[in-house]
Amino acid sequence: MSEPTILRTQVGIIGGGPSGLLLSHLLRLSGIDNTVLELRDREYTVARVRAGVLEHDAVDLLTSAGLGERIAREGLKHQGIYLQFAGERHHVDFSELIDRDIWVYGQQEVMKDLIAAHDAAGTPARYEISDAQPQDLLTDAPSIRYTENGEKFELRCDFVVGADGFHGVARPSIPADQSAVHEREYHFAWLGILAHVAPSTDELIYSLHERGFAMHSMRSNKVSRLYLQVEPDDDIENWSDDRIWDELDIRLRVPGWQLERGEIFEKSITPMRSFVSEPMSYGRMHLVGDAAHIVPPTGAKGLNQAIADVALLHNGLVDHFRSGNSAGLEAYSATSVERVWKTQYFSTYMTRMLHRFHGTDDAEFDYQVQLGQLRQLISSRHAMAALAELYTGLPMPKLH
Ligand code: RFL
Ligand code: PHB
């Protein structure tokens, strides 16, 4: 068998999603050489429809890294959200409660901005690589073996970063007896659509309905994003466009309000999962984003937590390369995991409060408790401020 071609960089990053591309961009700005290895082609990585909400500090961080221009121009700044239940809609005004806001800006747009920045700097990811395998992680000279255009390579680096999402290869390369996995599957999924229609609301609506959760989000003044709670094994083929709009209409209805319909140009069903694998470091490999943890989307936290991981790891790597100080890298996993569990807490809280737990023995009792919880929430400034604090985001590390 032919020997692999040897390549060399300071940080080898597996995965060119938002986590990998952002880390690569920040490291380059800090003068640290790095390479991103991505399994899919570039178009595929942008085409995935996912997150829609950026926390206040996430936008500040992206802006400080030169990635804020289009967010400021095309992003939608929201002051709060609507919580709906029992046919009533209530506004939770983050700006008024705690003087913070959020931005509605699609992950697809974040990806386009990152790719444009990489292209401008002449540092695109290596796309369509396969068989990525981290190795020698417990030594000072780790590497990633991979195949590109049928040719074998070995990328030697000082550090390996696993930014390859939930189904990647980085996390499984940590021996099972060296990590703990915490997991919960939900008995429901989200059916999500994108439609060419102006949003029927100025801010996001989260609705608990007897028939299940529904949500109205958006991508722009012309594109709406909506979700329905469905069974986890449901098939998208069961959902004609009319059936989707009819169900959204029922679950989002309040007197005097009209849901506008439009052409649906994307629809899919996503299972919901909570997952944490810790520690997030193994020798010279560090995990960021969905490679280490998944939250159900109800709290809009996945991408934001990924950005927080990336900022923290960037700072640790900068300290290491600039001054030989490895304290940040050594503390990376513990510091990140602590924030991850707060994120899990909020995502679980939102998910439990807003979904119907159909089919469980306590479903009816739970539903009444959820209504009680929501009524208490919207009648208490303190409770709403607590929600606002978590929704707009936990503190994010400032870039070194
Ligand atoms: P990604 O986006 O999964 O990217 C990982 C990349 O790694 C590549 N890869 C590999 N590359 C090389 N070798 C291998 N063996 C590889 N295996 C995989 C993949 O091709 C991919 O390009 O993980 P990353 O970068 O950590 O980013 C995480 C976010 O994508 C995720 O947390 C969010 O989308 C979650 N999320 C939301 N987050 C928010 O902050 N706010 C939201 O409003 C929000 N809404 C959502 C969401 C996720 C959703 N879905 C579909 C799961 C709504 C939905 C419906
Ligand atoms: C979205 O716009 O896709 C979105 C918004 C808020 C969430 C989840 C998804 O909680």
mmCIF file of all heavy atoms in Angstrom, residues 50-53 104 190 204 206 215 217-219 225 227 297-301 391, ligand 2:
data_model
loop_
_atom_site.group_PDB
_atom_site.id
_atom_site.type_symbol
_atom_site.label_atom_id
_atom_site.label_comp_id
_atom_site.label_asym_id
_atom_site.label_seq_id
_atom_site.Cartn_x
_atom_site.Cartn_y
_atom_site.Cartn_z
ATOM 1 N N ARG A 50 -31.334 24.940 8.851
ATOM 2 C CA ARG A 50 -31.286 24.648 10.291
ATOM 3 C C ARG A 50 -31.635 25.872 11.121
ATOM 4 O O ARG A 50 -32.696 26.426 10.974
ATOM 5 C CB ARG A 50 -29.914 24.096 10.646
ATOM 6 C CG ARG A 50 -29.747 22.680 10.110
ATOM 7 C CD ARG A 50 -28.459 22.123 10.537
ATOM 8 N NE ARG A 50 -28.444 20.675 10.550
ATOM 9 C CZ ARG A 50 -27.463 19.983 11.073
ATOM 10 N NH1 ARG A 50 -26.446 20.594 11.634
ATOM 11 N NH2 ARG A 50 -27.504 18.676 11.055
ATOM 12 N N ALA A 51 -30.704 26.294 11.962
ATOM 13 C CA ALA A 51 -31.009 27.304 12.964
ATOM 14 C C ALA A 51 -31.461 28.629 12.357
ATOM 15 O O ALA A 51 -31.154 28.955 11.218
ATOM 16 C CB ALA A 51 -29.777 27.541 13.827
ATOM 17 N N GLY A 52 -32.190 29.395 13.187
ATOM 18 C CA GLY A 52 -32.662 30.685 12.715
ATOM 19 C C GLY A 52 -32.418 31.838 13.659
ATOM 20 O O GLY A 52 -32.578 32.997 13.274
ATOM 21 N N VAL A 53 -32.021 31.534 14.900
ATOM 22 C CA VAL A 53 -31.912 32.606 15.893
ATOM 23 C C VAL A 53 -30.481 32.730 16.398
ATOM 24 O O VAL A 53 -29.866 31.735 16.798
ATOM 25 C CB VAL A 53 -32.847 32.328 17.100
ATOM 26 C CG1 VAL A 53 -32.618 33.339 18.210
ATOM 27 C CG2 VAL A 53 -34.307 32.335 16.663
ATOM 28 N N VAL A 104 -32.855 37.280 14.176
ATOM 29 C CA VAL A 104 -33.299 36.186 13.323
ATOM 30 C C VAL A 104 -32.455 36.265 12.047
ATOM 31 O O VAL A 104 -32.521 37.264 11.304
ATOM 32 C CB VAL A 104 -34.805 36.298 13.024
ATOM 33 C CG1 VAL A 104 -35.237 35.224 12.027
ATOM 34 C CG2 VAL A 104 -35.596 36.156 14.324
ATOM 35 N N TRP A 190 -40.039 17.395 14.848
ATOM 36 C CA TRP A 190 -40.534 18.650 14.269
ATOM 37 C C TRP A 190 -40.613 18.514 12.757
ATOM 38 O O TRP A 190 -39.632 18.106 12.115
ATOM 39 C CB TRP A 190 -39.574 19.802 14.581
ATOM 40 C CG TRP A 190 -39.789 20.479 15.892
ATOM 41 C CD1 TRP A 190 -40.463 19.991 16.981
ATOM 42 C CD2 TRP A 190 -39.305 21.777 16.261
ATOM 43 N NE1 TRP A 190 -40.414 20.906 18.005
ATOM 44 C CE2 TRP A 190 -39.713 22.008 17.591
ATOM 45 C CE3 TRP A 190 -38.562 22.769 15.605
ATOM 46 C CZ2 TRP A 190 -39.400 23.189 18.269
ATOM 47 C CZ3 TRP A 190 -38.241 23.933 16.280
ATOM 48 C CH2 TRP A 190 -38.666 24.152 17.604
ATOM 49 N N LEU A 204 -41.283 35.826 16.759
ATOM 50 C CA LEU A 204 -41.531 34.384 16.751
ATOM 51 C C LEU A 204 -42.685 34.006 17.694
ATOM 52 O O LEU A 204 -42.766 34.527 18.805
ATOM 53 C CB LEU A 204 -40.269 33.633 17.212
ATOM 54 C CG LEU A 204 -39.233 33.302 16.132
ATOM 55 C CD1 LEU A 204 -38.875 34.495 15.291
ATOM 56 C CD2 LEU A 204 -38.004 32.682 16.758
ATOM 57 N N TYR A 206 -44.304 30.858 19.752
ATOM 58 C CA TYR A 206 -44.200 29.489 20.262
ATOM 59 C C TYR A 206 -45.564 29.140 20.833
ATOM 60 O O TYR A 206 -46.018 29.781 21.783
ATOM 61 C CB TYR A 206 -43.177 29.401 21.393
ATOM 62 C CG TYR A 206 -41.721 29.522 20.975
ATOM 63 C CD1 TYR A 206 -41.147 30.772 20.735
ATOM 64 C CD2 TYR A 206 -40.917 28.396 20.844
ATOM 65 C CE1 TYR A 206 -39.809 30.877 20.369
ATOM 66 C CE2 TYR A 206 -39.576 28.501 20.483
ATOM 67 C CZ TYR A 206 -39.032 29.740 20.250
ATOM 68 O OH TYR A 206 -37.716 29.856 19.891
ATOM 69 N N MET A 215 -44.990 26.437 15.767
ATOM 70 C CA MET A 215 -44.162 27.631 15.891
ATOM 71 C C MET A 215 -44.112 28.380 14.577
ATOM 72 O O MET A 215 -44.068 27.776 13.510
ATOM 73 C CB MET A 215 -42.775 27.165 16.282
ATOM 74 C CG MET A 215 -41.727 28.131 15.946
ATOM 75 S SD MET A 215 -40.340 27.804 16.996
ATOM 76 C CE MET A 215 -39.485 29.241 16.584
ATOM 77 N N SER A 217 -41.755 31.022 12.736
ATOM 78 C CA SER A 217 -40.519 31.791 12.666
ATOM 79 C C SER A 217 -40.414 32.374 11.258
ATOM 80 O O SER A 217 -41.398 32.353 10.503
ATOM 81 C CB SER A 217 -39.325 30.896 13.013
ATOM 82 O OG SER A 217 -38.118 31.625 12.976
ATOM 83 N N MET A 218 -39.265 32.862 10.916
ATOM 84 C CA MET A 218 -39.123 33.520 9.611
ATOM 85 C C MET A 218 -37.663 33.557 9.201
ATOM 86 O O MET A 218 -36.765 33.283 10.006
ATOM 87 C CB MET A 218 -39.673 34.942 9.698
ATOM 88 C CG MET A 218 -38.932 35.788 10.713
ATOM 89 S SD MET A 218 -39.838 37.267 11.197
ATOM 90 C CE MET A 218 -41.119 36.619 12.234
ATOM 91 N N ARG A 219 -37.421 33.885 7.959
ATOM 92 C CA ARG A 219 -36.052 34.074 7.484
ATOM 93 C C ARG A 219 -35.835 35.484 6.932
ATOM 94 O O ARG A 219 -34.723 35.965 6.874
ATOM 95 C CB ARG A 219 -35.710 33.040 6.395
ATOM 96 C CG ARG A 219 -35.483 31.636 6.942
ATOM 97 C CD ARG A 219 -34.233 31.563 7.809
ATOM 98 N NE ARG A 219 -34.065 30.253 8.411
ATOM 99 C CZ ARG A 219 -34.579 29.886 9.582
ATOM 100 N NH1 ARG A 219 -35.273 30.758 10.297
ATOM 101 N NH2 ARG A 219 -34.381 28.685 10.066
ATOM 102 N N ARG A 225 -40.727 30.607 8.141
ATOM 103 C CA ARG A 225 -40.284 29.288 8.588
ATOM 104 C C ARG A 225 -41.254 28.850 9.669
ATOM 105 O O ARG A 225 -41.436 29.580 10.656
ATOM 106 C CB ARG A 225 -38.861 29.405 9.152
ATOM 107 C CG ARG A 225 -38.308 28.138 9.790
ATOM 108 C CD ARG A 225 -37.667 27.251 8.780
ATOM 109 N NE ARG A 225 -36.886 26.155 9.344
ATOM 110 C CZ ARG A 225 -36.900 24.921 8.820
ATOM 111 N NH1 ARG A 225 -37.650 24.638 7.774
ATOM 112 N NH2 ARG A 225 -36.145 23.982 9.335
ATOM 113 N N TYR A 227 -43.005 25.440 12.064
ATOM 114 C CA TYR A 227 -42.787 24.079 12.562
ATOM 115 C C TYR A 227 -44.065 23.527 13.198
ATOM 116 O O TYR A 227 -44.842 24.273 13.795
ATOM 117 C CB TYR A 227 -41.703 24.067 13.632
ATOM 118 C CG TYR A 227 -40.315 24.450 13.181
ATOM 119 C CD1 TYR A 227 -39.824 25.735 13.411
ATOM 120 C CD2 TYR A 227 -39.479 23.530 12.556
ATOM 121 C CE1 TYR A 227 -38.530 26.086 13.017
ATOM 122 C CE2 TYR A 227 -38.194 23.875 12.168
ATOM 123 C CZ TYR A 227 -37.717 25.157 12.402
ATOM 124 O OH TYR A 227 -36.447 25.497 12.020
ATOM 125 N N PRO A 297 -34.507 21.782 19.431
ATOM 126 C CA PRO A 297 -34.419 23.159 18.918
ATOM 127 C C PRO A 297 -35.320 24.185 19.607
ATOM 128 O O PRO A 297 -35.231 25.374 19.300
ATOM 129 C CB PRO A 297 -34.810 23.007 17.441
ATOM 130 C CG PRO A 297 -35.543 21.718 17.346
ATOM 131 C CD PRO A 297 -35.048 20.841 18.446
ATOM 132 N N THR A 298 -36.151 23.761 20.551
ATOM 133 C CA THR A 298 -37.137 24.672 21.143
ATOM 134 C C THR A 298 -36.515 25.916 21.788
ATOM 135 O O THR A 298 -37.154 26.961 21.845
ATOM 136 C CB THR A 298 -38.000 23.928 22.198
ATOM 137 O OG1 THR A 298 -38.078 22.560 21.834
ATOM 138 C CG2 THR A 298 -39.358 24.529 22.299
ATOM 139 N N GLY A 299 -35.305 25.807 22.286
ATOM 140 C CA GLY A 299 -34.686 26.976 22.910
ATOM 141 C C GLY A 299 -33.825 27.776 21.955
ATOM 142 O O GLY A 299 -33.255 28.800 22.343
ATOM 143 N N ALA A 300 -33.701 27.318 20.697
ATOM 144 C CA ALA A 300 -32.880 27.987 19.679
ATOM 145 C C ALA A 300 -31.417 28.102 20.126
ATOM 146 O O ALA A 300 -30.779 29.149 19.976
ATOM 147 C CB ALA A 300 -33.446 29.369 19.338
ATOM 148 N N LYS A 301 -30.889 27.039 20.682
ATOM 149 C CA LYS A 301 -29.575 27.135 21.320
ATOM 150 C C LYS A 301 -28.420 26.416 20.622
ATOM 151 O O LYS A 301 -27.247 26.699 20.913
ATOM 152 C CB LYS A 301 -29.663 26.596 22.760
ATOM 153 C CG LYS A 301 -30.397 27.522 23.706
ATOM 154 C CD LYS A 301 -29.548 28.726 24.046
ATOM 155 C CE LYS A 301 -30.294 29.836 24.724
ATOM 156 N NZ LYS A 301 -30.647 30.974 23.885
ATOM 157 N N TYR A 391 -33.000 33.000 27.028
ATOM 158 C CA TYR A 391 -33.276 33.003 25.585
ATOM 159 C C TYR A 391 -32.291 33.920 24.854
ATOM 160 O O TYR A 391 -31.770 33.566 23.788
ATOM 161 C CB TYR A 391 -34.720 33.436 25.304
ATOM 162 C CG TYR A 391 -35.169 33.067 23.907
ATOM 163 C CD1 TYR A 391 -35.997 31.976 23.678
ATOM 164 C CD2 TYR A 391 -34.739 33.793 22.790
ATOM 165 C CE1 TYR A 391 -36.387 31.613 22.395
ATOM 166 C CE2 TYR A 391 -35.113 33.443 21.508
ATOM 167 C CZ TYR A 391 -35.942 32.349 21.311
ATOM 168 O OH TYR A 391 -36.309 32.003 20.036
HETATM 169 C C1 PHB B 2 -35.929 28.776 13.228
HETATM 170 O O1 PHB B 2 -36.218 29.903 12.777
HETATM 171 O O2 PHB B 2 -35.560 27.859 12.470
HETATM 172 C C2 PHB B 2 -36.045 28.506 14.676
HETATM 173 C C3 PHB B 2 -36.324 29.549 15.536
HETATM 174 C C4 PHB B 2 -36.444 29.302 16.899
HETATM 175 C C5 PHB B 2 -36.299 28.008 17.375
HETATM 176 C C6 PHB B 2 -36.003 26.969 16.502
HETATM 177 C C7 PHB B 2 -35.896 27.217 15.148
HETATM 178 O O3 PHB B 2 -36.452 27.771 18.696
#
